[in-house]
Amino acid sequence: VDLTPSPQEQAFRDQLREWLAANHPGPEPEGDVAGFQFRRDWQGRLHADGWAGVSWPKEYGGRGATLVEQAIYNEELARAQAPSAANVIGLAMGGPTVIAHGTDEQKRRYLEPILSAEEIWCQGFSEPDAGSDLASLKTRAVRDGDEWVVTGQKVWTTLAHHARWCMLVARTDADAPRHKGLTYFLMDMEQDAVQVRPLRQITGEAEFNELFIEEARIPHANIIGGEGNGWAVAITTLMHERATLAFGLQIRVKITLGELLDEARESGATADPVIRDRLAQLYIESEVLRLNALRGLSAIMRTGVPGPEGSLGKWQWADVNQALTELALELRGSRAVLDDDRWTYRFLRARANSIEGGTTEILRNIVAERVLGLPRMR
Amino acid sequence: MRFELSDDQRAIQGTAREFLAARYPPEEIRRLAFDDERGFTDDQWAAVAELGWPALVVGEDEGGLALGAVELAVLQEQLGYALAPMPLFSTVAAALVIRESGDAQQRARWLGPITEGELRGTISGPPDAGAVVADGDTLAGTLEAVPEAASADVLVVAFGEDGRPMVVDLHGDGVSIERAGALDPTRRLFTVTLDGAHAEPLRGDDPPSHAYDTIAVALAAESVGVAQRTMEMAVEHARDRKQFGQPVGVFQAVSHACAQMLLETEGARSAVLYAAWALDEAPDEAPLAAAMAKSYASDAGWRVPAAALQVLGGIGFTWEHDLHLWLKRGRANAAAWGDARSHRRRVADLLAL
């Protein structure tokens, strides 16, 4: 056990911190369009100096950072309160999936524009009738010469209204066993057959979209990982989602908890020993989340692949973030009937934490079956 | 940064696992717990001393191995996993305080023989639970729940964070030792009454707080082993036991309970390893890290066995099944050296809440 950063890790942190101090673009402007353009410009600046896709191998335009360096990267960006990159899904999931399963031609075509944010990516997995049971999805793709014709509906597609490419999983063989008949496509979003509608959520905003796909056309060359192999490719995307996003999330929890602790100190809420006890417990759980994530990194560095343990972190993150926002609202007392500060929004937004990116129930199934080796349901 | 055991630490883990599994099968644990007068045999203690375990934390000047809190945590986790009854924790706890706060002469006098397995120690604690009063170089009062006192030679009396610990010769005058009923049958507890017993203050320069934190983390590590073992019992049962024509582990009410056990066990292990590392390498972080580890592992150390009992169903409630032995150790550990709530209070203090 050695939690001291190596000289190389320390140098990485120092270099990034210095770069951030010189290049931080300031606060994000209001509004979806202006905000998105701002994050797109920010990613361009990150990319120009080699700070986008730090985890990607150097040969594909990344920095070839180790997992520990990626953790440092996430920490430093959060600490500097830097804006997030515009193309989060492309960077965290799309690129790594193309690198793992794409052809050389696909790597040449798609990777660079992800890094530069020239082409934004979105993820077309979930459907109205296929959420946790993803393999039951119904969107159909039928071969027509060198193209596939796709019809169906997708939901919860973040960034779809900005995206050029959609990672789309569709059924290409209705007769095959359900996990076998799926294929992973890159669908061009710039066609009339794809309609994007914002999906308004309980906070009042629309972070997500619905996709209505009516005979959209996808060239055969846009299949990733081969026809009928869509399930395995989709799993790669999901594992990257849980492994890399989860690490950034635990840092955001620590920052939010820091705000709550400051407020509780100022308001005198900590005079109540029950509140004090619960705040201490939250702090401990946020630390355990961080420490588990660090241990997970060391394990991945040894074995080379993100394992099902990432599911544990994402599940625990949801628990902690929900408990944190619940306590914050409780501390407002009767003023919690008002909607006049950020905790109201955070409480509502946190309800999705145990659903998005894999429900807590599905994550518990994964932990039970794949980590503990319990018999599978069904 | 490497947050996993080194090869040497893995070797300690492997040796301990094999030794304890071979020497302490469940029937031997029960024999020592319920039928043996003292709770361990001379041969068993000699074998433990041969492995160097009492010497683990003792400095090289006294012939010890001078290993750190991480190595101690690794060993303690295996001792909790195996639930081997032996007066090692109590001896190591005494050794930690003497190492930290004793002067050179005191360290040589007590730690040398501890290293050889010739002397055993114990400790009263946690430090704020003291019910004894010092009068010059004598002590009077009653100490409750002192582990393995009847088989120990010296007792370290802890007096609160700033108080200088004192050492009592348990074979001396003014000392009476009486067996107390203990929740955990695998660790003997005694009421020690001091009536003008001679006591020698530790005269070194360092306060004992680092040693106290190490003791708390060592107990927390034991609780991680307890949680790991009982989680394995639950998982094995959920795979094998059939009801309604299928293994009960296919039911999510059961499998999700097992997943929750993993979450708590791994969380406790992370907290303990971090605290142990901080005790060795980052003393500024150690008090907070130790309080977090003891708090989290105290909860996991009894909640996981309790949940495992539920998964086992009726068989888990029988005396015949071994699970209750681990449940009792886990619950007793949760209460010893500061319970979860008192450590959360400490966390809140350290965060200036």
Side-chain angles (χ1 to χ4, degrees):
Chain A
V1 178
D2 179 12
L3 294 178
T4 324
S6 70
Q8 188 199 331
E9 289 158 2
Q10 189 59 47
F12 181 92
R13 187 188 292 278
D14 293 344
Q15 195 187 349
L16 175 58
R17 201 173 277 189
E18 200 177 307
W19 187 87
L20 282 169
N23 290 279
H24 196 296
E28 191 171 312
E30 298 274 325
D32 182 63
V33 175
F36 189 76
Q37 188 57 46
F38 177 84
R39 291 197 296 278
R40 202 168 200 158
D41 294 343
W42 167 238
Q43 188 179 331
R45 203 187 296 187
L46 284 166
H47 178 51
D49 288 338
W51 290 111
V54 290
S55 64
W56 297 18
K58 281 186 179 151
E59 53 180 312
Y60 302 123
R63 205 179 186 93
T66 66
L67 284 161
V68 174
E69 287 167 346
Q70 291 172 50
I72 292 170
Y73 178 83
N74 282 318
E75 259 173 29
E76 289 300 321
L77 262 72
R79 183 170 300 157
Q81 296 187 306
S84 50
N87 206 5
V88 275
I89 292 175
L91 289 170
M93 299 181 246
T97 303
V98 170
I99 289 168
H101 297 284
T103 62
D104 288 345
E105 174 52 33
Q106 288 169 336
K107 290 173 189 168
R108 269 193 299 277
R109 165 64 188 83
Y110 294 109
L111 294 177
E112 170 65 24
I114 292 177
L115 289 172
S116 64
E118 197 180 314
E119 292 179 346
I120 304 300
W121 285 44
C122 66
Q123 178 188 7
F125 282 24
S126 294
E127 297 181 2
D129 289 330
S132 291
D133 185 11
L134 185 58
S136 71
L137 60 85
K138 293 200 192 79
T139 294
R140 268 165 42 96
V142 180
R143 184 85 186 248
D144 178 22
D146 279 348
E147 289 185 323
W148 290 81
V149 181
V150 183
T151 298
Q153 190 181 343
K154 294 287 177 181
V155 73
W156 302 117
T157 35
T158 315
L159 292 178
H161 55 311
H162 295 293
R164 169 71 197 275
W165 296 108
C166 177
M167 298 175 259
L168 183 94
V169 183
R171 190 162 301 285
T172 45
D173 183 352
D175 299 327
R178 36 189 248 132
H179 290 86
K180 305 273 183 197
L182 302 174
T183 300
Y184 195 111
F185 294 96
L186 292 184
M187 179 174 74
D188 191 339
M189 295 287 285
E190 292 177 359
Q191 50 182 315
D192 292 341
V194 180
Q195 293 298 317
V196 178
R197 268 187 229 159
L199 183 61
R200 202 161 181 216
Q201 64 210 46
I202 65 166
T203 56
E205 335 151 89
E207 284 175 79
F208 306 96
N209 302 278
E210 289 178 285
L211 292 189
F212 297 89
I213 308 164
E214 192 62 49
E215 300 195 344
R217 299 218 153 232
I218 304 179
H220 185 73
N222 284 22
I223 289 177
I224 306 268
E227 189 181 334
N229 205 19
W231 183 254
V233 182
I235 292 295
T236 303
T237 305
L238 294 173
M239 287 297 174
H240 276 280
E241 178 176 22
R242 278 163 211 159
T244 52
L245 292 187
F247 202 89
L249 293 174
Q250 64 88 8
I251 296 159
R252 297 238 303 271
V253 165
K254 296 214 66 99
I255 291 171
T256 313
L257 177 61
E259 287 178 29
L260 180 61
L261 297 183
D262 281 343
E263 285 184 23
R265 284 185 197 103
E266 278 163 32
S267 72
T270 51
D272 180 336
V274 175
I275 298 299
R276 214 168 171 260
D277 184 80
R278 288 172 62 191
L279 288 169
Q281 178 65 17
L282 273 176
Y283 183 83
I284 293 167
E285 287 178 16
S286 75
E287 275 291 279
V288 165
L289 190 61
R290 176 179 76 91
L291 296 165
N292 278 345
L294 285 177
R295 259 179 77 213
L297 289 187
S298 291
I300 298 172
M301 285 175 91
R302 185 159 36 80
T303 60
V305 282
E309 296 82 2
S311 300
L312 203 61
K314 198 265 146 179
W315 156 20
Q316 196 182 11
W317 163 75
D319 280 0
V320 176
N321 203 44
Q322 288 179 346
L324 163 58
T325 56
E326 286 160 16
L327 180 58
L329 215 55
E330 202 179 318
L331 292 187
R332 302 199 69 218
S334 57
R335 291 188 55 81
V337 299
L338 300 169
D339 180 6
D340 66 352
D341 85 351
R342 60 202 193 288
W343 293 112
T344 308
Y345 169 81
R346 286 173 176 173
F347 165 78
L348 293 171
R349 182 62 186 82
R351 305 329 300 167
N353 294 166
S354 48
I355 301 167
E356 55 195 334
T359 65
T360 292
E361 287 75 12
I362 288 293
L363 300 175
R364 284 184 180 136
N365 283 350
I366 293 173
V367 168
E369 290 166 12
R370 301 194 40 210
V371 184
L372 294 175
L374 285 169
R376 287 177 67 89
M377 232 184 9
R378 297 180 288 275
Chain B
M1 197 226 58
R2 196 181 126 139
F3 197 175
E4 56 184 356
L5 300 185
S6 67
D7 291 345
D8 286 350
Q9 288 156 355
R10 243 178 249 288
I12 292 172
Q13 183 185 48
T15 305
R17 172 74 69 112
E18 281 172 32
F19 172 85
L20 293 168
R23 306 288 183 102
Y24 293 89
E27 50 283 11
E28 178 62 5
I29 295 172
R30 282 174 183 262
R31 192 190 70 76
L32 293 169
F34 303 118
D35 301 328
D36 190 273
E37 174 60 28
R38 199 174 54 164
F40 64 97
T41 68
D42 284 338
D43 285 349
Q44 286 170 335
W45 182 250
V48 165
E50 181 72 21
L51 285 167
W53 292 353
L56 193 80
V57 299
V58 174
E60 282 170 357
D61 287 350
E62 292 84 31
L65 300 172
L67 290 169
V70 175
E71 286 76 12
L72 177 60
V74 166
L75 175 61
Q76 282 288 112
E77 182 183 330
Q78 293 308 314
L79 286 161
Y81 184 88
L83 208 69
M86 61 174 75
L88 183 70
F89 166 71
S90 44
T91 296
V92 166
L96 282 165
V97 178
I98 295 169
R99 181 191 74 175
E100 196 77 14
S101 297
D103 64 17
Q105 183 270 334
Q106 291 173 321
R107 291 200 304 268
R109 174 151 47 112
W110 289 310
L111 297 182
I114 283 178
T115 300
E116 299 297 322
E118 289 161 6
L119 186 94
R120 284 184 292 268
T122 187
I123 189 162
S124 73
D128 56 357
V132 290
V133 183
D135 179 12
D137 60 354
T138 65
L139 289 176
T142 300
L143 296 164
E144 282 199 309
V146 180
E148 312 292 353
S151 60
D153 304 294
V154 292
L155 165 71
V156 172
V157 182
F159 279 103
E161 292 288 332
D162 303 321
R164 210 169 259 278
M166 299 178 93
V167 177
V168 174
D169 176 0
L170 287 173
H171 308 302
D173 292 339
V175 177
S176 74
I177 299 172
E178 201 178 330
R179 176 103 180 245
L183 166 61
D184 167 17
T186 62
R187 182 166 276 152
R188 296 269 196 282
L189 297 179
F190 298 87
T191 303
V192 177
T193 306
L194 304 175
D195 183 12
H198 178 77
E200 182 175 325
L202 290 174
R203 283 184 294 261
D205 296 330
D206 291 328
S209 51
H210 186 271
Y212 294 158
D213 284 339
T214 310
I215 293 168
V217 171
L219 265 188
E222 223 177 71
S223 292
V224 172
V226 168
Q228 176 71 35
R229 182 66 174 266
T230 51
M231 173 176 72
E232 288 174 13
M233 288 179 189
V235 167
E236 189 185 349
H237 184 83
R239 279 197 207 120
D240 295 345
R241 168 78 171 172
K242 289 206 167 84
Q243 290 286 276
F244 306 103
Q246 39 193 342
V248 297
V250 306
F251 302 116
Q252 286 173 315
V254 173
S255 69
H256 288 188
C258 293
Q260 180 70 32
M261 292 178 208
L262 184 79
L263 182 115
E264 294 181 24
T265 304
E266 290 299 338
R269 185 174 282 128
S270 293
V272 163
L273 283 176
Y274 164 59
W277 171 82
L279 284 161
D280 290 340
E281 305 291 340
D284 290 352
E285 297 173 38
L288 180 57
M292 291 194 299
K294 181 62 171 72
S295 168
Y296 196 91
S298 288
D299 284 338
W302 75 266
R303 285 167 48 115
V304 172
L309 196 154
Q310 178 68 23
V311 166
L312 263 61
I315 188 71
F317 188 62
T318 63
W319 187 264
E320 182 192 353
H321 198 284
D322 295 324
L323 179 87
H324 68 104
L325 300 173
W326 275 266
L327 171 68
K328 290 167 182 174
R329 170 67 68 88
R331 188 60 190 86
N333 275 4
W337 279 87
D339 63 9
R341 197 150 47 109
S342 73
H343 281 283
R344 282 198 291 274
R345 204 156 52 226
R346 207 165 155 228
V347 167
D349 289 344
L350 291 165
L351 295 174
L353 285 176

